[in-house]
Amino acid sequence: MSGQMSAFLPPLSLPALSLPALSLLLLTGCAERSMQIGDFTVSLYKPDGTLSIEQNGEVLTTLLPIAVGEGSADIRFQSGAYLFENEEIAWQQGSRLRVRSASAAVIALSVEDAEGAEIGAMEIAPAGTGLLIDVGSAGEAGASINRLLLRVEAPGEEPVLGGGGHAWDIDHRGEEFPLFSTEPGIGKVETDDYPEDWFLTGTRHATSFPQPFFLFPDRPAPLGLSVGTSARVNVDLAATVGDEYRFTVWDRSAQLLLIPGRSALDVVEAHALSQGAPQIPPDWAFGAWNDAIRGADRVRTVAQELRASGASSSAIWTEDWKGGEDYSYGYHLSAEWTVDEELYPGAAALAAELEAQGFAWLAYFSPFIAEDSVAGAEAADLVIKTEDGDPYWFPGITFQPTSVLDVSSEAARAWAAAKMEAALDIGFDGWMTDFAEWLPPDAAMEQGDGLDDHNAYPLWWQQVSAAVIADTPSDNRATFFSRSGWIGTSATSPITWAGDQRTGFEPDDGLPSVIPMGLGLSIGGVAIYTHDIAGYQSVGNDPSTKELWFRWCSLGAFTPIMRTHHGAYDQDNWQFDSDAETLAHYARYTQIHARLFPYLRGLAALAVSTGRPTILHPALLYEGYPWQAQDAWMLGSALFVAPVMEAGATSRAVSLPPGDWYDWWTGAPAGELISGGAVASPVDSIPVFAPARAIVPTLTTAPDTFLPLADASALLTLAEADADRTVYVFGGAGSGDNSFTEGDGTHYALSGSGGPGEASGEFASGTLEVGGLKVEIHGTVERNWRLVVY
């Protein structure tokens, strides 16, 4: 980690789990020395200097000799993108490990080269049920070292998952790419070679949210590996050498966290909690959000349309509350930090109007400071600096001289927090915490610099919002959402969104990219995920169409947070109110999403207690399901969501995991689809399935708003709708029990066999039975219950 900035990064710790031994590789030769530390045996092998980690007599993993190096590169920065050229590293290869000290708590090792000179040091210590290995340079050359090579043996042809939010891939075995927070590009090339327009078009793995965590799920016992650093990491996942994983850290030290688990899901959960318990948004955030820009009149129109349509909507997000302007490349925002009184006169009164109609109102913040602005005059001393100590100005989004706040500085954080608090005082209930990828590599900061701490900058930027939000009232607290990230973001930012997808069906960065991005982020511990319905970017592709809007909207309903976006070319894009049919489609799916609230809020609570993300790759739950599949996700353990992602298609092939499955919409058995089959899906539908014995609690009636209302109203609030539940159970036959717990503690336990049929009752705790199938309900709230068994 880089100098003083480690104070801003979350501590690494693991929850206690009972784990069996992991068996990966059999080493040949004799151990030079074996030492016990916690549940692990650490063995040094000669003459090659390898280090094996064993548990209960079986090898967990094998670390190959590290290398330290002095590296250089030419780096170009433009429009939030980075071009790395002429990368060179002079390596010093470790060839032997020597024990400096060993105890039950810490093993300290020296890394020596072939001549016996010390070039590095390692400290190994238990971390929960995992193992934390601190690695760094040492010896006479240590001060000049700025690269560290970590090597791990790569068995067989196993899949490798993780690495953050990537639009094109879920399995990264055989790939080589950097982890460096960047603008993901407007569309992507198929490789990681820089295109000629590298500042505009992204490489295959360009992402706002990289993460140096990788999951190896197909071993006898799965393993997770996390590289602790805030610097760039070049990963080589058996691309160059088929039996090696290589991690080149652009720093002189790093931490390697090994996380074993009984299952791949255990590893995912343990890694999530190692960053700190995931943050989750307030209840109102699980109602649908709508965007509205171009002034107060449009905001009022959107609010009126939503209520007239019967949509269940609880939030309106106004991205341009500080101003916006049309450019040839779309509608872009002002870099000011206070309300635009021309676009939004009397903003506090408008906030009160929206509150009376049951809408939270959200704003927008980015770390940009424009030189020629009121904010620039206030905060010129609070932005990043050049090596000469002057404000660092570069061409921003609108090509005007721009900088970013130095959020390593307490003064800059306080300035930004004051602006956010002022927004709350107006009546806003949260905001988008945008960008954070635009930190030039040669920037100087109060604590750190633009290269060594580049990947930590998104986290620091999010921590400013988190600190402000933490001080808001708990009964109706505010929230924020972000697109960039690094290790620790899941414990800081309540919601992560996918970024600026194309407004189309393109596989590189359009609608199909939402699934692999969400799955990659969830593997890294992101609990609550969302995306822009119908995308954002229309450079190089057409604006959104009605068909795209319909398809993306239905997927949004089966996402933890359902949220629309106008897109960069808002007046050309299809919108939720472009015609009556679209508005009706949107209203229907907002109601579907709203009725899922008891289930979604229960999944969020589960994420806090166990680290389990709300969306999951099906293979995390079903052994044998292909890890390479990236066209569907599980929303919790009960809903298999398989959107249509091809223009013009009215059906799609669905291959369900093993077992008995049921159509979510009709309750009809879907067993014929287990081996693959075409599922009809008109443009106004989405294929969704539930496994046998699944329990899904829902609101019987979708509320108009999730927010309380001060005055009696014709609108149905969440508090009122909460009095009635419809609980769905799929497949009453069989002996497998199941259970589910809502966010308020209401617990459901399934036993017996019976159905189909229905039962009802009114109680706080009690039992509903259909032909021998029982659902025991334990709660503290008196409700009207309806049990539907298919």
Side-chain angles (χ1 to χ4, degrees):
M1 275 223 186
S2 176
Q4 303 172 43
M5 295 313 297
S6 61
F8 288 89
L9 297 175
L12 287 168
S13 60
L14 285 172
L17 293 174
S18 175
L19 303 174
L22 296 178
S23 176
L24 287 179
L25 302 172
L26 295 177
L27 293 177
T28 60
C30 298
E32 181 178 2
R33 182 171 177 181
S34 295
M35 297 153 286
Q36 194 70 26
I37 184 166
D39 293 333
F40 301 93
T41 301
V42 177
S43 298
L44 282 62
Y45 282 78
K46 61 179 183 181
D48 55 2
T50 58
L51 183 72
S52 78
I53 312 295
E54 303 172 34
Q55 201 174 42
N56 297 332
E58 295 191 28
V59 175
L60 176 63
T61 191
T62 303
L63 307 183
L64 303 174
I66 71 164
V68 298
E70 188 172 351
S72 62
D74 296 326
I75 309 172
R76 297 167 63 187
F77 164 70
Q78 184 177 336
S79 302
Y82 306 85
L83 176 64
F84 289 80
E85 297 178 302
N86 303 319
E87 295 186 40
E88 296 182 358
I89 307 175
W91 289 113
Q92 292 177 272
Q93 179 64 56
S95 62
R96 181 179 173 85
L97 295 171
R98 179 172 57 83
V99 179
R100 300 175 62 181
S101 63
S103 70
V106 179
I107 296 172
L109 306 172
S110 289
V111 182
E112 299 176 349
D113 66 13
E115 284 72 41
E118 184 182 35
I119 64 168
M122 303 174 68
E123 285 193 354
I124 305 173
T129 53
L131 207 61
L132 185 64
I133 306 173
D134 272 298
V135 187
S137 60
E140 294 181 1
S144 64
I145 295 301
N146 60 5
R147 300 290 189 273
L148 180 64
L149 176 62
L150 307 175
R151 300 161 61 212
V152 182
E153 285 196 346
E157 295 295 328
E158 66 180 0
V160 181
L161 284 73
H166 297 285
W168 221 325
D169 298 297
I170 186 71
D171 178 7
H172 302 295
R173 172 83 185 214
E175 297 178 343
E176 181 180 7
F177 53 92
L179 297 175
F180 195 76
S181 181
T182 180
E183 279 282 350
I186 300 173
K188 292 179 171 21
V189 294
E190 294 188 20
T191 71
D192 287 294
D193 296 328
Y194 294 107
E196 185 174 344
D197 60 344
W198 58 271
F199 49 86
L200 180 64
T201 301
T203 56
R204 187 179 188 95
H205 287 93
T207 177
S208 297
F209 197 149
Q211 195 177 45
F213 170 75
F214 293 93
L215 171 68
F216 311 111
D218 267 4
R219 302 181 177 190
L223 179 69
L225 182 153
S226 181
V227 182
T229 182
S230 56
R232 188 179 198 242
V233 181
N234 291 352
V235 299
D236 183 331
L237 302 172
T240 303
V241 179
D243 59 358
E244 281 187 28
Y245 302 129
R246 297 180 174 185
F247 306 92
T248 302
V249 181
W250 285 41
D251 206 343
R252 63 195 307 267
S253 63
Q255 294 176 315
L256 192 64
L257 179 62
L258 302 177
I259 307 174
R262 292 175 299 246
S263 67
L265 184 55
D266 283 343
V267 174
V268 168
E269 293 174 344
H271 172 251
L273 293 185
S274 77
Q275 304 173 71
Q279 296 296 307
I280 60 171
D283 288 355
W284 61 259
F286 291 92
W289 304 16
N290 280 85
D291 67 286
I293 60 170
R294 296 185 182 270
D297 288 345
R298 174 59 180 167
V299 171
R300 291 186 173 95
T301 296
V302 167
Q304 293 165 1
E305 288 179 340
L306 290 169
R307 290 294 173 245
S309 71
S312 178
S313 179
S314 299
I316 292 178
W317 168 53
T318 303
E319 189 177 31
D320 67 345
W321 72 287
K322 300 179 297 181
E325 187 175 348
D326 281 309
Y327 295 84
S328 61
Y329 46 93
Y331 186 74
H332 287 277
L333 308 181
S334 163
E336 294 293 2
W337 284 66
T338 55
V339 67
D340 184 325
E341 294 290 354
E342 292 187 8
L343 272 179
Y344 297 97
L350 178 55
E353 285 181 41
L354 294 174
E355 181 181 3
Q357 297 176 72
F359 291 108
W361 195 22
L362 290 100
Y364 173 95
F365 285 102
S366 80
F368 291 131
I369 301 289
E371 183 179 21
D372 185 19
S373 68
V374 174
E378 288 184 23
D381 290 337
L382 303 177
V383 301
I384 57 174
K385 303 297 192 296
T386 66
E387 61 180 10
D388 296 326
D390 298 322
Y392 192 133
W393 304 110
F394 53 80
I397 294 291
T398 60
F399 304 105
Q400 303 303 309
T402 303
S403 192
V404 292
L405 279 177
D406 177 4
V407 288
S408 77
S409 157
E410 182 177 350
R413 294 195 302 273
W415 182 88
K419 299 300 183 183
M420 295 172 179
E421 290 164 356
L424 293 175
D425 290 341
I426 289 172
F428 286 103
D429 299 288
W431 47 79
M432 174 188 282
T433 304
D434 203 2
F435 288 103
E437 306 92 342
W438 290 53
L439 179 64
D442 57 344
M445 296 186 288
E446 185 174 298
Q447 300 185 66
D449 64 55
L451 184 58
D452 291 347
D453 299 302
H454 179 87
N455 287 322
Y457 187 92
L459 177 62
W460 304 338
W461 170 232
Q462 292 151 16
Q463 287 172 343
V464 178
S465 290
V468 173
I469 296 299
D471 292 334
T472 62
S474 59
D475 59 342
N476 184 27
R477 63 184 176 88
T479 194
F480 69 98
F481 59 115
S482 53
R483 71 168 181 174
S484 59
W486 189 246
I487 295 174
T489 288
S490 61
T492 304
S493 181
I495 304 166
T496 295
W497 102 92
D500 299 341
Q501 270 70 45
R502 291 179 185 261
T503 53
F505 289 95
E506 291 83 359
D508 64 330
D509 210 13
L511 172 60
S513 70
V514 168
I515 300 289
M517 285 192 72
L519 295 177
L521 289 168
S522 72
I523 285 169
V526 170
I528 308 292
Y529 174 70
T530 187
H531 44 90
D532 295 341
I533 289 177
Y536 173 81
Q537 190 55 256
S538 303
V539 174
N541 55 271
D542 292 332
S544 58
T545 63
K546 184 175 181 178
E547 178 191 13
L548 179 78
W549 212 98
F550 269 52
R551 290 299 190 194
W552 214 315
C553 174
S554 61
L555 176 59
F558 290 92
T559 307
I561 304 295
M562 183 180 187
R563 185 179 60 83
T564 69
H565 198 298
H566 51 272
Y569 294 88
D570 60 299
Q571 297 183 355
D572 298 323
N573 285 320
W574 198 265
Q575 305 290 356
F576 81 100
D577 57 351
S578 289
D579 68 11
E581 187 179 20
T582 306
L583 184 57
H585 176 79
Y586 179 65
R588 176 192 170 208
Y589 275 95
T590 62
Q591 293 169 5
I592 290 167
H593 178 79
R595 290 190 62 224
L596 285 172
F597 172 76
Y599 180 65
L600 294 174
R601 187 60 182 80
L603 297 181
L606 186 65
V608 173
S609 62
T610 70
R612 181 176 297 189
T614 54
I615 67 168
L616 300 166
H617 195 288
L620 288 168
L621 299 172
Y622 295 95
E623 185 176 353
Y625 193 86
W627 286 104
Q628 295 73 23
Q630 53 186 46
D631 62 352
W633 66 40
M634 295 294 301
L635 183 59
S637 61
L639 296 177
F640 182 96
V641 182
V644 173
M645 295 180 291
E646 182 181 346
T650 56
S651 67
R652 62 154 290 176
V654 175
S655 182
L656 292 167
D660 296 329
W661 290 81
Y662 296 80
D663 187 299
W664 163 255
W665 304 107
T666 66
E672 67 273 12
L673 298 175
I674 291 175
S675 59
V679 177
S681 181
V683 72
D684 61 349
S685 68
I686 181 172
V688 180
F689 303 92
R693 312 290 283 183
I695 302 172
V696 183
T698 71
L699 301 174
T700 299
T701 304
D704 298 299
T705 177
F706 280 35
L707 289 165
L709 294 172
D711 300 323
S713 169
L715 297 179
L716 181 68
T717 66
L718 174 62
E720 295 165 328
D722 187 64
D724 298 285
R725 286 282 189 279
T726 297
V727 182
Y728 294 96
V729 174
F730 293 84
S735 58
D737 294 344
N738 203 355
S739 64
F740 185 81
T741 304
E742 291 189 30
D744 67 359
T746 302
H747 182 73
Y748 305 86
L750 173 67
S751 63
S753 179
E758 295 189 15
S760 60
E762 184 177 356
F763 48 78
S765 294
T767 301
L768 295 175
E769 183 173 355
V770 174
L773 183 143
K774 296 181 181 179
V775 176
E776 295 183 29
I777 302 171
H778 297 278
T780 59
V781 178
E782 187 87 4
R783 291 186 172 109
N784 294 309
W785 303 93
R786 174 177 171 240
L787 172 65
V788 178
V789 180
Y790 287 112

